[in-house]
Amino acid sequence: MNNTPNRRQFVKAFSAAGAGLMLPSALTGAEAKRIVLFDGKTLKGWHPKARVLPEHFPNYKESLVDHAKWTIEDGVLIGGQNPPGCGLGGWLLTDEKFGDFELTLDARPDWSIDTGIYIRTTDVGAGFQVLLDHRDGGAIGFIYGKNIGGFHARPYEFWPRRDDSGKVVGLILKDVAAKDRIPMDYAASSEAFLKTWKFGDWNSFKIRCVGKYPVITTWINGVKICQFNTGTLKGHRYDREKTAKLLGREGRIAFEVHAGTEVRWAKDALCRWRNINLTPLDI
């Protein structure tokens, strides 16, 4: 890859320097390519969409209307059910599609919610989900196949740790049964996850997605959590060729407000995101 600045970059940097400004990103590789997906003020570059339930669900017709509320406060994107406790949800998707990339963001989920960071996603939410299931039986940083087989690649799941008053104050991790585990190239130990995860606070994610059959790697607060090769996954109702044809080489980035109540999405519960940036990769 040629990182030599082109003429336009050079002129831009030279002009800025003359004005007393420093623009090092104009002359460097990855930083120059970084795309700010969320400006902290508006939903420019994003669009909401209803999270439609299967037709046999009793509230299918209601789900045809978007029931997620996306607001912005102090540079933070906030998602929740609309109205709170309605049991229906929605999506927020990027207008643009992306192929190979590194995505970085901060997230702060309430307890109890079921959400995720979706990549290579279609307009109707089929794609690879980086789990952010902050609930009973949840997992974070591992991979789920949404509408592409429903595979659930995680070595452990967690349950709430409560204080004497019953308030949830942390997580207790339990191994997934060996028969239910899906092979991964790498998975952080439960001890490593607990050490890096900051319950009730902001956590920084980095997600790397590369390849036609993407290899997905995740980090939380700088600690590698997962590396999962979707090209070598066999069984689990997953077909890599059908999936590649369905998703294509590029897809949207999306966030989810899940349908359901109580464990799936507690009344008045919210998830918050900020500092959402993406760097395309030339692989």
Side-chain angles (χ1 to χ4, degrees):
M1 182 173 64
N2 184 5
N3 289 330
T4 303
N6 59 33
R7 184 176 183 277
R8 182 177 298 176
Q9 289 175 316
F10 181 83
V11 171
K12 183 178 179 182
F14 183 84
S15 299
L21 299 175
M22 294 298 291
L23 287 179
S25 62
L27 298 175
T28 59
E31 189 69 18
K33 295 181 179 181
R34 189 181 70 171
I35 301 168
V36 177
L37 294 184
F38 172 54
D39 63 16
K41 299 177 182 178
T42 70
L43 291 179
K44 182 179 179 181
W46 299 79
H47 60 275
K49 194 159 190 175
R51 188 184 187 281
V52 179
L53 296 174
E55 291 189 21
H56 65 274
F57 277 50
N59 50 357
Y60 162 72
K61 289 185 177 179
E62 293 177 79
S63 77
L64 297 175
V65 177
D66 184 22
H67 281 276
K69 184 177 182 180
W70 306 96
T71 58
I72 301 169
E73 296 180 11
D74 299 324
V76 175
L77 172 63
I78 305 170
Q81 290 185 349
N82 185 32
C86 69
L88 296 170
W91 304 95
L92 188 68
L93 303 102
T94 57
D95 296 341
E96 190 175 349
K97 295 181 179 181
F98 304 96
D100 296 347
F101 58 81
E102 283 189 354
L103 174 69
T104 58
L105 56 88
D106 302 331
R108 184 174 180 173
D110 286 344
W111 186 275
S112 163
I113 65 169
D114 189 331
T115 184
I117 305 157
Y118 287 76
I119 57 179
R120 293 275 180 95
T121 301
T122 67
D123 292 341
V124 293
F128 300 101
Q129 176 190 4
V130 176
L131 293 166
L132 188 49
D133 294 351
H134 204 234
R135 57 169 175 81
D136 292 7
I140 295 176
F142 294 98
I143 312 299
Y144 178 74
K146 175 67 174 177
N147 294 333
I148 51 173
F151 63 84
H152 208 170
R154 81 277 189 238
Y156 42 80
E157 56 191 22
F158 49 71
W159 302 85
R161 179 168 59 84
R162 302 178 184 272
D163 63 15
D164 293 341
S165 70
K167 180 181 177 181
V168 179
V169 294
L171 304 175
I172 299 171
L173 298 192
K174 297 182 179 180
D175 289 342
V176 170
K179 66 180 180 63
D180 296 326
R181 292 189 189 180
I182 292 176
M184 287 177 278
D185 294 344
Y186 177 84
S189 68
S190 56
E191 293 81 6
F193 175 83
L194 280 179
K195 186 175 181 180
T196 195
W197 181 255
K198 295 180 283 190
F199 186 88
D201 203 347
W202 288 100
N203 290 272
S204 296
F205 286 73
K206 182 169 77 169
I207 300 164
R208 193 174 195 264
C209 175
V210 175
K212 176 182 177 181
Y213 316 110
V215 176
I216 303 170
T217 311
T218 66
W219 294 260
I220 296 177
N221 300 325
V223 175
K224 187 176 181 180
I225 300 298
C226 168
Q227 183 170 307
F228 183 60
N229 188 341
T230 67
T232 60
L233 174 62
K234 296 180 180 179
H236 305 281
R237 303 185 303 277
Y238 177 76
D239 185 311
R240 74 174 194 174
E241 300 302 335
K242 288 183 179 179
T243 298
K245 184 177 180 180
L246 171 67
L247 303 185
R249 195 63 175 78
E250 297 181 334
R252 305 191 193 281
I253 308 297
F255 299 125
E256 173 190 33
V257 170
H258 207 287
T261 57
E262 299 179 355
V263 171
R264 286 290 186 180
W265 204 282
K267 187 176 182 180
D268 298 320
L270 301 169
C271 192
R272 301 162 183 84
W273 296 269
R274 68 183 184 188
N275 299 329
I276 308 167
N277 300 303
L278 182 144
T279 302
L281 299 176
D282 297 326
I283 303 297

